[in-house]
Amino acid sequence: MDARDPLPRAFYRRDALRLARALLGKVLVHRTPDGLAAARLVEVEAYRGPRDRAAHSAGGRRTPRNEVMWGPPGHLYVYFVYGMHWCANVVAADAGVPEAVLLRAAEPLEGLDLMRARRGRRGPDAELLRGPANLCRALGIGRAHNGADLTAGSLFLADAPAPPRHRQRRSARIGVDYAGADARRPWRLYLAGSPAVSGPPALRG
DNA sequence: AGGAAGATCCGCT
DNA sequence: GCGGATCTTCCTG
């Protein structure tokens, strides 16, 4: 498979934790009229369905907002938070199983000028996609991309070598203190030492 | 109909 | 470390 081809549907058809592991190192590509932007995923979080109190699908709540989580795998679930930010998830597992992987950070690869412009040229390049909302901003992802099919179209994930195991780390997920015991489950995965990883220093090495 | 909280980010102290 | 920005969504009454 060419590195520029979208990963196939079968890649996404597994539970969110396994998909999260597989996503580390993969390349998210977005072609728009303004140009192409691409970045390598270095931080993700698994949200594991109705029994996961931290997930938007907790308790089996199915609403217009999280509807995409119930759909087939390989689509993007994009939601709006805090009155100003967009965040993007990759839908995992079979239709009817509402699991997803939040994309928290990535290292810029292509389209640096475009991403700087979208971000307002703030900070070092390595931090252009540091944090879930910044990632969406730099890649031009927003409301229009909710439900987008990542296996066909201008927004897709391309294959890339898996990062070495000795750089892979796990931690509790960030920003889910409301979720009780589930808040402490180690379902955040990241690459140690990447300057693009978000969170406090203790959660980046 | 109303209100509370949110899978965040940034700038200031 | 803290709080403000800003608005959608969902639950409650």
Side-chain angles (χ1 to χ4, degrees):
Chain A
M1 163 187 309
D2 190 301
R4 276 278 107 103
D5 290 335
L7 287 159
R9 184 84 54 207
F11 174 82
Y12 301 97
R13 191 173 290 114
R14 47 182 143 183
D15 71 79
L17 187 55
R18 288 174 195 278
L19 178 60
R21 259 194 282 269
L23 283 171
L24 283 181
K26 297 295 184 274
V27 176
L28 186 55
V29 183
H30 193 194
R31 296 178 199 277
T32 68
D34 292 334
L36 180 145
R40 178 172 174 265
L41 296 175
V42 296
E43 182 188 355
V44 297
E45 285 177 353
Y47 286 86
R48 305 188 68 188
R51 297 194 319 272
D52 178 2
R53 302 267 304 269
H56 288 171
S57 55
R61 267 195 332 274
R62 186 169 180 162
T63 69
R65 178 175 71 149
N66 65 21
E67 178 63 29
V68 176
M69 287 186 78
W70 267 265
H75 290 252
L76 206 63
Y77 164 43
V78 180
Y79 68 92
F80 188 66
V81 274
Y82 298 116
M84 60 188 78
H85 299 302
W86 296 95
C87 295
N89 299 253
V90 174
V91 175
D94 283 309
V97 181
E99 302 197 1
V101 179
L102 175 67
L103 308 180
R104 286 198 59 93
E107 294 174 350
L109 294 178
E110 282 188 58
L112 273 288
D113 287 342
L114 180 54
M115 292 194 280
R116 285 187 205 110
R118 285 171 173 156
R119 289 276 281 111
R121 296 175 196 75
R122 267 196 301 270
D125 287 348
E127 299 178 11
L128 283 169
L129 305 91
R130 186 174 184 268
N134 289 335
L135 182 153
C136 283
R137 182 123 195 214
L139 287 172
I141 294 172
R143 161 179 281 143
H145 303 96
N146 188 37
D149 185 353
L150 294 171
T151 69
S154 53
L155 177 59
F156 62 94
L157 271 163
D159 202 6
R165 286 191 70 90
H166 72 270
R167 286 195 58 206
Q168 303 182 25
R169 298 281 188 286
R170 306 176 63 162
S171 81
R173 294 170 293 183
I174 293 176
V176 297
D177 294 343
Y178 56 83
D182 286 335
R184 295 186 285 280
R185 302 196 188 281
W187 293 343
R188 169 176 176 263
L189 309 180
Y190 64 99
L191 296 188
S194 169
V197 172
S198 72
L203 294 182
R204 316 212 289 115

Tab-separated table of all heavy atoms in Angstrom, chain A residues 131-195:
chain	number	residue	atom	x	y	z
A	131	GLY	N	-2.411	19.257	21.459
A	131	GLY	CA	-3.726	19.390	22.077
A	131	GLY	C	-4.823	19.159	21.040
A	131	GLY	O	-4.658	19.509	19.874
A	132	PRO	N	-5.938	18.535	21.460
A	132	PRO	CA	-6.977	18.116	20.516
A	132	PRO	C	-7.600	19.262	19.722
A	132	PRO	O	-7.923	19.089	18.539
A	132	PRO	CB	-8.007	17.420	21.400
A	132	PRO	CG	-7.713	17.868	22.794
A	132	PRO	CD	-6.253	18.162	22.843
A	133	ALA	N	-7.774	20.406	20.354
A	133	ALA	CA	-8.387	21.530	19.645
A	133	ALA	C	-7.386	22.180	18.691
A	133	ALA	O	-7.742	22.593	17.589
A	133	ALA	CB	-8.926	22.558	20.636
A	134	ASN	N	-6.143	22.249	19.103
A	134	ASN	CA	-5.111	22.798	18.221
A	134	ASN	C	-4.909	21.909	17.005
A	134	ASN	O	-4.678	22.402	15.895
A	134	ASN	CB	-3.795	22.964	18.978
A	134	ASN	CG	-3.864	24.098	19.980
A	134	ASN	OD1	-4.654	25.026	19.814
A	134	ASN	ND2	-3.045	24.020	21.020
A	135	LEU	N	-4.971	20.606	17.205
A	135	LEU	CA	-4.843	19.661	16.097
A	135	LEU	C	-5.921	19.926	15.039
A	135	LEU	O	-5.625	20.016	13.847
A	135	LEU	CB	-4.940	18.227	16.648
A	135	LEU	CG	-4.781	17.044	15.698
A	135	LEU	CD1	-4.260	15.827	16.446
A	135	LEU	CD2	-6.090	16.697	15.013
A	136	CYS	N	-7.144	20.081	15.486
A	136	CYS	CA	-8.235	20.352	14.545
A	136	CYS	C	-8.036	21.692	13.858
A	136	CYS	O	-8.238	21.827	12.651
A	136	CYS	CB	-9.572	20.336	15.279
A	136	CYS	SG	-10.155	18.664	15.638
A	137	ARG	N	-7.642	22.658	14.623
A	137	ARG	CA	-7.455	23.999	14.071
A	137	ARG	C	-6.383	23.986	12.970
A	137	ARG	O	-6.579	24.520	11.896
A	137	ARG	CB	-7.039	24.933	15.205
A	137	ARG	CG	-6.872	26.346	14.776
A	137	ARG	CD	-7.749	27.273	15.580
A	137	ARG	NE	-7.833	28.556	14.911
A	137	ARG	CZ	-7.923	29.715	15.547
A	137	ARG	NH1	-7.962	29.736	16.862
A	137	ARG	NH2	-8.003	30.834	14.877
A	138	ALA	N	-5.253	23.362	13.265
A	138	ALA	CA	-4.143	23.350	12.309
A	138	ALA	C	-4.508	22.597	11.036
A	138	ALA	O	-4.051	22.944	9.945
A	138	ALA	CB	-2.904	22.733	12.955
A	139	LEU	N	-5.324	21.573	11.163
A	139	LEU	CA	-5.679	20.762	9.999
A	139	LEU	C	-6.949	21.245	9.306
A	139	LEU	O	-7.363	20.666	8.300
A	139	LEU	CB	-5.835	19.293	10.409
A	139	LEU	CG	-4.529	18.557	10.715
A	139	LEU	CD1	-4.805	17.185	11.292
A	139	LEU	CD2	-3.674	18.434	9.462
A	140	GLY	N	-7.575	22.269	9.855
A	140	GLY	CA	-8.789	22.775	9.228
A	140	GLY	C	-9.982	21.861	9.399
A	140	GLY	O	-10.844	21.784	8.536
A	141	ILE	N	-10.042	21.175	10.534
A	141	ILE	CA	-11.154	20.271	10.824
A	141	ILE	C	-12.185	20.991	11.682
A	141	ILE	O	-11.831	21.622	12.673
A	141	ILE	CB	-10.649	19.009	11.549
A	141	ILE	CG1	-9.759	18.187	10.614
A	141	ILE	CG2	-11.808	18.162	12.053
A	141	ILE	CD1	-9.050	17.028	11.303
A	142	GLY	N	-13.452	20.881	11.293
A	142	GLY	CA	-14.526	21.532	12.036
A	142	GLY	C	-15.849	20.839	11.801
A	142	GLY	O	-15.888	19.672	11.400
A	143	ARG	N	-16.911	21.558	12.040
A	143	ARG	CA	-18.265	21.000	11.976
A	143	ARG	C	-18.519	20.236	10.678
A	143	ARG	O	-19.157	19.179	10.685
A	143	ARG	CB	-19.274	22.140	12.119
A	143	ARG	CG	-20.676	21.825	11.623
A	143	ARG	CD	-21.595	23.010	11.831
A	143	ARG	NE	-22.024	23.067	13.222
A	143	ARG	CZ	-22.197	24.165	13.930
A	143	ARG	NH1	-21.933	25.325	13.391
A	143	ARG	NH2	-22.612	24.108	15.171
A	144	ALA	N	-18.017	20.759	9.578
A	144	ALA	CA	-18.291	20.156	8.273
A	144	ALA	C	-17.741	18.739	8.171
A	144	ALA	O	-18.150	17.979	7.298
A	144	ALA	CB	-17.700	21.010	7.158
A	145	HIS	N	-16.809	18.386	9.060
A	145	HIS	CA	-16.163	17.079	8.949
A	145	HIS	C	-16.749	16.032	9.869
A	145	HIS	O	-16.283	14.897	9.902
A	145	HIS	CB	-14.659	17.227	9.192
A	145	HIS	CG	-14.031	18.210	8.253
A	145	HIS	ND1	-13.824	19.534	8.590
A	145	HIS	CD2	-13.636	18.087	6.978
A	145	HIS	CE1	-13.303	20.170	7.555
A	145	HIS	NE2	-13.181	19.323	6.563
A	146	ASN	N	-17.775	16.402	10.622
A	146	ASN	CA	-18.416	15.391	11.456
A	146	ASN	C	-19.040	14.320	10.564
A	146	ASN	O	-19.809	14.637	9.665
A	146	ASN	CB	-19.497	16.023	12.341
A	146	ASN	CG	-20.037	15.051	13.357
A	146	ASN	OD1	-19.283	14.232	13.897
A	146	ASN	ND2	-21.330	15.128	13.623
A	147	GLY	N	-18.667	13.082	10.798
A	147	GLY	CA	-19.178	11.975	9.992
A	147	GLY	C	-18.348	11.667	8.757
A	147	GLY	O	-18.641	10.714	8.036
A	148	ALA	N	-17.303	12.441	8.509
A	148	ALA	CA	-16.487	12.216	7.304
A	148	ALA	C	-15.924	10.800	7.278
A	148	ALA	O	-15.499	10.272	8.307
A	148	ALA	CB	-15.349	13.233	7.261
A	149	ASP	N	-15.911	10.216	6.086
A	149	ASP	CA	-15.378	8.868	5.899
A	149	ASP	C	-13.876	8.953	5.643
A	149	ASP	O	-13.439	9.513	4.643
A	149	ASP	CB	-16.087	8.211	4.712
A	149	ASP	CG	-15.670	6.755	4.534
A	149	ASP	OD1	-14.741	6.299	5.240
A	149	ASP	OD2	-16.299	6.080	3.700
A	150	LEU	N	-13.099	8.389	6.552
A	150	LEU	CA	-11.641	8.499	6.455
A	150	LEU	C	-11.037	7.545	5.433
A	150	LEU	O	-9.839	7.582	5.188
A	150	LEU	CB	-11.004	8.239	7.823
A	150	LEU	CG	-11.316	9.274	8.897
A	150	LEU	CD1	-10.813	8.801	10.253
A	150	LEU	CD2	-10.704	10.627	8.545
A	151	THR	N	-11.847	6.668	4.867
A	151	THR	CA	-11.309	5.722	3.882
A	151	THR	C	-11.503	6.212	2.453
A	151	THR	O	-11.065	5.559	1.507
A	151	THR	CB	-11.979	4.336	4.009
A	151	THR	OG1	-13.340	4.436	3.581
A	151	THR	CG2	-11.931	3.838	5.436
A	152	ALA	N	-12.168	7.339	2.293
A	152	ALA	CA	-12.396	7.870	0.941
A	152	ALA	C	-12.613	9.360	1.065
A	152	ALA	O	-13.411	9.806	1.871
A	152	ALA	CB	-13.625	7.219	0.313
A	153	GLY	N	-11.889	10.130	0.257
A	153	GLY	CA	-12.107	11.562	0.302
A	153	GLY	C	-10.849	12.342	0.598
A	153	GLY	O	-9.739	11.796	0.561
A	154	SER	N	-11.018	13.599	0.923
A	154	SER	CA	-9.882	14.506	1.035
A	154	SER	C	-9.313	14.542	2.450
A	154	SER	O	-8.297	15.178	2.694
A	154	SER	CB	-10.305	15.905	0.608
A	154	SER	OG	-11.460	16.291	1.328
A	155	LEU	N	-9.984	13.888	3.374
A	155	LEU	CA	-9.498	13.818	4.755
A	155	LEU	C	-9.354	12.337	5.109
A	155	LEU	O	-10.335	11.607	5.138
A	155	LEU	CB	-10.503	14.500	5.688
A	155	LEU	CG	-10.216	14.483	7.181
A	155	LEU	CD1	-8.886	15.134	7.504
A	155	LEU	CD2	-11.339	15.192	7.929
A	156	PHE	N	-8.125	11.886	5.330
A	156	PHE	CA	-7.935	10.445	5.531
A	156	PHE	C	-6.683	10.161	6.357
A	156	PHE	O	-5.856	11.051	6.604
A	156	PHE	CB	-7.833	9.729	4.169
A	156	PHE	CG	-6.664	10.163	3.328
A	156	PHE	CD1	-5.471	9.461	3.376
A	156	PHE	CD2	-6.754	11.276	2.499
A	156	PHE	CE1	-4.387	9.851	2.596
A	156	PHE	CE2	-5.675	11.675	1.716
A	156	PHE	CZ	-4.492	10.961	1.766
A	157	LEU	N	-6.576	8.914	6.772
A	157	LEU	CA	-5.403	8.453	7.497
A	157	LEU	C	-4.583	7.565	6.587
A	157	LEU	O	-5.120	6.666	5.938
A	157	LEU	CB	-5.823	7.663	8.738
A	157	LEU	CG	-6.032	8.499	9.998
A	157	LEU	CD1	-6.826	7.717	11.017
A	157	LEU	CD2	-4.685	8.902	10.587
A	158	ALA	N	-3.278	7.830	6.550
A	158	ALA	CA	-2.369	7.037	5.721
A	158	ALA	C	-1.497	6.166	6.606
A	158	ALA	O	-1.186	6.517	7.749
A	158	ALA	CB	-1.506	7.971	4.872
A	159	ASP	N	-1.111	5.028	6.061
A	159	ASP	CA	-0.269	4.114	6.823
A	159	ASP	C	1.127	4.706	6.999
A	159	ASP	O	1.566	5.560	6.233
A	159	ASP	CB	-0.176	2.780	6.084
A	159	ASP	CG	0.219	1.650	7.031
A	159	ASP	OD1	0.296	1.894	8.249
A	159	ASP	OD2	0.440	0.528	6.542
A	160	ALA	N	1.793	4.243	8.052
A	160	ALA	CA	3.162	4.659	8.349
A	160	ALA	C	3.717	3.652	9.334
A	160	ALA	O	2.946	2.942	9.992
A	160	ALA	CB	3.174	6.063	8.949
A	161	PRO	N	5.031	3.554	9.429
A	161	PRO	CA	5.617	2.559	10.323
A	161	PRO	C	5.186	2.798	11.773
A	161	PRO	O	5.097	3.938	12.217
A	161	PRO	CB	7.120	2.781	10.174
A	161	PRO	CG	7.285	3.518	8.890
A	161	PRO	CD	6.053	4.332	8.709
A	162	ALA	N	4.934	1.702	12.486
A	162	ALA	CA	4.618	1.831	13.910
A	162	ALA	C	5.853	2.332	14.634
A	162	ALA	O	6.976	1.931	14.317
A	162	ALA	CB	4.185	0.489	14.469
A	163	PRO	N	5.669	3.228	15.606
A	163	PRO	CA	6.814	3.715	16.379
A	163	PRO	C	7.389	2.594	17.233
A	163	PRO	O	6.687	1.632	17.557
A	163	PRO	CB	6.209	4.815	17.241
A	163	PRO	CG	4.751	4.536	17.276
A	163	PRO	CD	4.409	3.835	16.014
A	164	PRO	N	8.667	2.685	17.598
A	164	PRO	CA	9.280	1.633	18.420
A	164	PRO	C	8.550	1.484	19.756
A	164	PRO	O	8.130	2.462	20.365
A	164	PRO	CB	10.716	2.130	18.626
A	164	PRO	CG	10.714	3.571	18.240
A	164	PRO	CD	9.599	3.765	17.280
A	165	ARG	N	8.432	0.275	20.196
A	165	ARG	CA	7.680	0.003	21.430
A	165	ARG	C	8.256	0.746	22.634
A	165	ARG	O	7.515	1.130	23.541
A	165	ARG	CB	7.687	-1.499	21.722
A	165	ARG	CG	6.784	-2.313	20.824
A	165	ARG	CD	6.653	-3.745	21.348
A	165	ARG	NE	5.894	-3.808	22.580
A	165	ARG	CZ	4.574	-3.965	22.619
A	165	ARG	NH1	3.879	-4.053	21.512
A	165	ARG	NH2	3.942	-4.022	23.775
A	166	HIS	N	9.569	0.913	22.634
A	166	HIS	CA	10.164	1.519	23.828
A	166	HIS	C	9.812	2.997	23.961
A	166	HIS	O	10.076	3.605	24.992
A	166	HIS	CB	11.681	1.321	23.831
A	166	HIS	CG	12.416	2.150	22.832
A	166	HIS	ND1	12.673	1.722	21.554
A	166	HIS	CD2	12.938	3.396	22.936
A	166	HIS	CE1	13.331	2.666	20.899
A	166	HIS	NE2	13.508	3.698	21.713
A	167	ARG	N	9.191	3.558	22.926
A	167	ARG	CA	8.758	4.947	23.049
A	167	ARG	C	7.270	5.079	23.373
A	167	ARG	O	6.767	6.170	23.605
A	167	ARG	CB	9.067	5.713	21.765
A	167	ARG	CG	10.548	6.037	21.603
A	167	ARG	CD	10.757	7.095	20.545
A	167	ARG	NE	10.029	8.323	20.857
A	167	ARG	CZ	9.616	9.206	19.938
A	167	ARG	NH1	9.868	8.982	18.677
A	167	ARG	NH2	8.975	10.291	20.283
A	168	GLN	N	6.560	3.969	23.375
A	168	GLN	CA	5.122	4.031	23.624
A	168	GLN	C	4.841	4.057	25.120
A	168	GLN	O	5.416	3.290	25.875
A	168	GLN	CB	4.421	2.843	22.968
A	168	GLN	CG	4.687	2.772	21.467
A	168	GLN	CD	3.963	1.617	20.784
A	168	GLN	OE1	2.945	1.152	21.253
A	168	GLN	NE2	4.508	1.160	19.663
A	169	ARG	N	3.950	4.962	25.515
A	169	ARG	CA	3.591	5.099	26.927
A	169	ARG	C	2.073	5.135	27.082
A	169	ARG	O	1.357	5.421	26.128
A	169	ARG	CB	4.134	6.409	27.498
A	169	ARG	CG	5.638	6.536	27.485
A	169	ARG	CD	6.272	5.769	28.621
A	169	ARG	NE	7.701	6.075	28.696
A	169	ARG	CZ	8.613	5.623	27.849
A	169	ARG	NH1	8.238	4.853	26.838
A	169	ARG	NH2	9.879	5.939	27.990
A	170	ARG	N	1.624	4.878	28.331
A	170	ARG	CA	0.200	4.963	28.659
A	170	ARG	C	0.036	5.841	29.877
A	170	ARG	O	0.920	5.918	30.728
A	170	ARG	CB	-0.364	3.583	28.982
A	170	ARG	CG	-0.119	2.558	27.908
A	170	ARG	CD	-0.621	1.204	28.370
A	170	ARG	NE	-2.074	1.238	28.589
A	170	ARG	CZ	-2.834	0.146	28.655
A	170	ARG	NH1	-2.288	-1.045	28.542
A	170	ARG	NH2	-4.118	0.252	28.841
A	171	SER	N	-1.123	6.475	29.996
A	171	SER	CA	-1.444	7.217	31.213
A	171	SER	C	-2.955	7.323	31.329
A	171	SER	O	-3.682	6.885	30.430
A	171	SER	CB	-0.848	8.630	31.165
A	171	SER	OG	-1.683	9.488	30.396
A	172	ALA	N	-3.391	7.911	32.423
A	172	ALA	CA	-4.806	8.242	32.543
A	172	ALA	C	-5.146	9.298	31.496
A	172	ALA	O	-4.268	10.048	31.050
A	172	ALA	CB	-5.108	8.773	33.935
A	173	ARG	N	-6.411	9.342	31.125
A	173	ARG	CA	-6.842	10.323	30.138
A	173	ARG	C	-6.926	11.706	30.774
A	173	ARG	O	-7.095	11.843	31.986
A	173	ARG	CB	-8.194	9.904	29.548
A	173	ARG	CG	-8.078	8.626	28.731
A	173	ARG	CD	-9.415	8.067	28.346
A	173	ARG	NE	-10.159	7.601	29.520
A	173	ARG	CZ	-11.343	7.011	29.450
A	173	ARG	NH1	-11.924	6.821	28.277
A	173	ARG	NH2	-11.943	6.610	30.537
A	174	ILE	N	-6.790	12.714	29.924
A	174	ILE	CA	-6.739	14.095	30.396
A	174	ILE	C	-8.134	14.730	30.341
A	174	ILE	O	-8.876	14.547	29.373
A	174	ILE	CB	-5.738	14.904	29.537
A	174	ILE	CG1	-4.312	14.393	29.792
A	174	ILE	CG2	-5.861	16.392	29.824
A	174	ILE	CD1	-3.251	15.046	28.936
A	175	GLY	N	-8.489	15.452	31.412
A	175	GLY	CA	-9.715	16.248	31.374
A	175	GLY	C	-10.999	15.479	31.586
A	175	GLY	O	-12.064	15.935	31.178
A	176	VAL	N	-10.912	14.312	32.245
A	176	VAL	CA	-12.122	13.511	32.454
A	176	VAL	C	-12.346	13.212	33.937
A	176	VAL	O	-12.863	12.147	34.290
A	176	VAL	CB	-12.075	12.192	31.638
A	176	VAL	CG1	-12.044	12.488	30.157
A	176	VAL	CG2	-10.871	11.341	32.018
A	177	ASP	N	-11.980	14.165	34.794
A	177	ASP	CA	-12.076	13.953	36.238
A	177	ASP	C	-13.493	13.618	36.700
A	177	ASP	O	-13.682	13.023	37.758
A	177	ASP	CB	-11.598	15.205	36.983
A	177	ASP	CG	-10.111	15.459	36.777
A	177	ASP	OD1	-9.403	14.514	36.349
A	177	ASP	OD2	-9.666	16.585	37.031
A	178	TYR	N	-14.476	13.978	35.924
A	178	TYR	CA	-15.874	13.739	36.268
A	178	TYR	C	-16.244	12.256	36.187
A	178	TYR	O	-17.329	11.858	36.571
A	178	TYR	CB	-16.797	14.519	35.313
A	178	TYR	CG	-16.560	14.191	33.860
A	178	TYR	CD1	-17.154	13.081	33.280
A	178	TYR	CD2	-15.708	14.965	33.078
A	178	TYR	CE1	-16.920	12.747	31.961
A	178	TYR	CE2	-15.460	14.643	31.754
A	178	TYR	CZ	-16.071	13.532	31.204
A	178	TYR	OH	-15.822	13.207	29.904
A	179	ALA	N	-15.348	11.412	35.659
A	179	ALA	CA	-15.726	10.040	35.289
A	179	ALA	C	-15.471	9.001	36.381
A	179	ALA	O	-15.514	7.804	36.117
A	179	ALA	CB	-15.016	9.640	34.011
A	180	GLY	N	-15.204	9.446	37.609
A	180	GLY	CA	-15.015	8.486	38.694
A	180	GLY	C	-13.846	7.559	38.449
A	180	GLY	O	-12.776	7.986	38.030
A	181	ALA	N	-14.050	6.275	38.671
A	181	ALA	CA	-12.964	5.300	38.530
A	181	ALA	C	-12.456	5.238	37.093
A	181	ALA	O	-11.280	4.976	36.853
A	181	ALA	CB	-13.434	3.919	38.980
A	182	ASP	N	-13.331	5.480	36.151
A	182	ASP	CA	-12.898	5.416	34.751
A	182	ASP	C	-11.892	6.511	34.414
A	182	ASP	O	-11.139	6.383	33.451
A	182	ASP	CB	-14.107	5.512	33.816
A	182	ASP	CG	-14.907	4.214	33.805
A	182	ASP	OD1	-14.315	3.160	34.105
A	182	ASP	OD2	-16.111	4.257	33.506
A	183	ALA	N	-11.894	7.579	35.208
A	183	ALA	CA	-10.942	8.671	34.951
A	183	ALA	C	-9.510	8.192	35.125
A	183	ALA	O	-8.592	8.766	34.553
A	183	ALA	CB	-11.220	9.844	35.889
A	184	ARG	N	-9.311	7.152	35.900
A	184	ARG	CA	-7.952	6.692	36.195
A	184	ARG	C	-7.472	5.568	35.279
A	184	ARG	O	-6.334	5.129	35.373
A	184	ARG	CB	-7.861	6.239	37.650
A	184	ARG	CG	-8.076	7.375	38.637
A	184	ARG	CD	-7.843	6.948	40.078
A	184	ARG	NE	-8.946	6.143	40.606
A	184	ARG	CZ	-10.096	6.646	41.050
A	184	ARG	NH1	-10.294	7.943	41.024
A	184	ARG	NH2	-11.041	5.857	41.498
A	185	ARG	N	-8.330	5.093	34.409
A	185	ARG	CA	-7.903	4.003	33.524
A	185	ARG	C	-6.861	4.512	32.529
A	185	ARG	O	-6.993	5.600	31.988
A	185	ARG	CB	-9.102	3.419	32.783
A	185	ARG	CG	-10.159	2.915	33.751
A	185	ARG	CD	-11.166	2.014	33.097
A	185	ARG	NE	-12.261	1.726	34.034
A	185	ARG	CZ	-12.182	0.843	35.014
A	185	ARG	NH1	-11.074	0.153	35.190
A	185	ARG	NH2	-13.199	0.639	35.823
A	186	PRO	N	-5.828	3.719	32.274
A	186	PRO	CA	-4.695	4.171	31.443
A	186	PRO	C	-4.969	4.031	29.954
A	186	PRO	O	-4.323	3.264	29.275
A	186	PRO	CB	-3.560	3.247	31.890
A	186	PRO	CG	-4.269	1.970	32.259
A	186	PRO	CD	-5.604	2.385	32.846
A	187	TRP	N	-5.900	4.819	29.480
A	187	TRP	CA	-6.330	4.687	28.098
A	187	TRP	C	-5.883	5.857	27.235
A	187	TRP	O	-6.379	6.063	26.145
A	187	TRP	CB	-7.850	4.490	28.037
A	187	TRP	CG	-8.258	3.163	28.624
A	187	TRP	CD1	-7.443	2.082	28.859
A	187	TRP	CD2	-9.569	2.783	29.046
A	187	TRP	NE1	-8.174	1.050	29.393
A	187	TRP	CE2	-9.477	1.448	29.529
A	187	TRP	CE3	-10.813	3.427	29.066
A	187	TRP	CZ2	-10.585	0.755	30.017
A	187	TRP	CZ3	-11.917	2.739	29.551
A	187	TRP	CH2	-11.800	1.416	30.021
A	188	ARG	N	-4.919	6.617	27.746
A	188	ARG	CA	-4.237	7.626	26.925
A	188	ARG	C	-2.907	7.024	26.483
A	188	ARG	O	-2.153	6.517	27.307
A	188	ARG	CB	-3.991	8.900	27.736
A	188	ARG	CG	-3.056	9.910	27.070
A	188	ARG	CD	-2.964	11.175	27.908
A	188	ARG	NE	-2.017	12.136	27.381
A	188	ARG	CZ	-0.758	12.268	27.798
A	188	ARG	NH1	-0.285	11.494	28.758
A	188	ARG	NH2	0.025	13.176	27.270
A	189	LEU	N	-2.648	7.055	25.194
A	189	LEU	CA	-1.417	6.490	24.647
A	189	LEU	C	-0.635	7.589	23.952
A	189	LEU	O	-1.213	8.420	23.250
A	189	LEU	CB	-1.755	5.385	23.637
A	189	LEU	CG	-2.732	4.315	24.121
A	189	LEU	CD1	-2.966	3.290	23.029
A	189	LEU	CD2	-2.210	3.632	25.362
A	190	TYR	N	0.686	7.600	24.150
A	190	TYR	CA	1.477	8.659	23.531
A	190	TYR	C	2.898	8.192	23.295
A	190	TYR	O	3.315	7.141	23.788
A	190	TYR	CB	1.449	9.915	24.402
A	190	TYR	CG	2.076	9.766	25.761
A	190	TYR	CD1	3.379	10.208	25.998
A	190	TYR	CD2	1.372	9.185	26.812
A	190	TYR	CE1	3.961	10.071	27.255
A	190	TYR	CE2	1.944	9.051	28.066
A	190	TYR	CZ	3.238	9.490	28.273
A	190	TYR	OH	3.811	9.351	29.508
A	191	LEU	N	3.641	8.985	22.528
A	191	LEU	CA	5.038	8.681	22.247
A	191	LEU	C	5.923	9.519	23.150
A	191	LEU	O	5.906	10.749	23.086
A	191	LEU	CB	5.361	8.973	20.776
A	191	LEU	CG	4.615	8.110	19.766
A	191	LEU	CD1	5.153	8.358	18.354
A	191	LEU	CD2	4.745	6.630	20.111
A	192	ALA	N	6.701	8.854	23.977
A	192	ALA	CA	7.548	9.543	24.948
A	192	ALA	C	8.515	10.484	24.237
A	192	ALA	O	9.121	10.132	23.220
A	192	ALA	CB	8.328	8.526	25.760
A	193	GLY	N	8.615	11.681	24.797
A	193	GLY	CA	9.632	12.601	24.329
A	193	GLY	C	9.265	13.447	23.129
A	193	GLY	O	10.007	14.346	22.765
A	194	SER	N	8.127	13.191	22.498
A	194	SER	CA	7.753	14.040	21.371
A	194	SER	C	7.367	15.423	21.878
A	194	SER	O	6.566	15.547	22.801
A	194	SER	CB	6.575	13.451	20.607
A	194	SER	OG	6.076	14.414	19.687
A	195	PRO	N	7.914	16.464	21.262
A	195	PRO	CA	7.576	17.831	21.696
A	195	PRO	C	6.143	18.202	21.351
A	195	PRO	O	5.651	19.230	21.796
A	195	PRO	CB	8.561	18.695	20.900
A	195	PRO	CG	8.913	17.880	19.705
A	195	PRO	CD	8.860	16.441	20.146
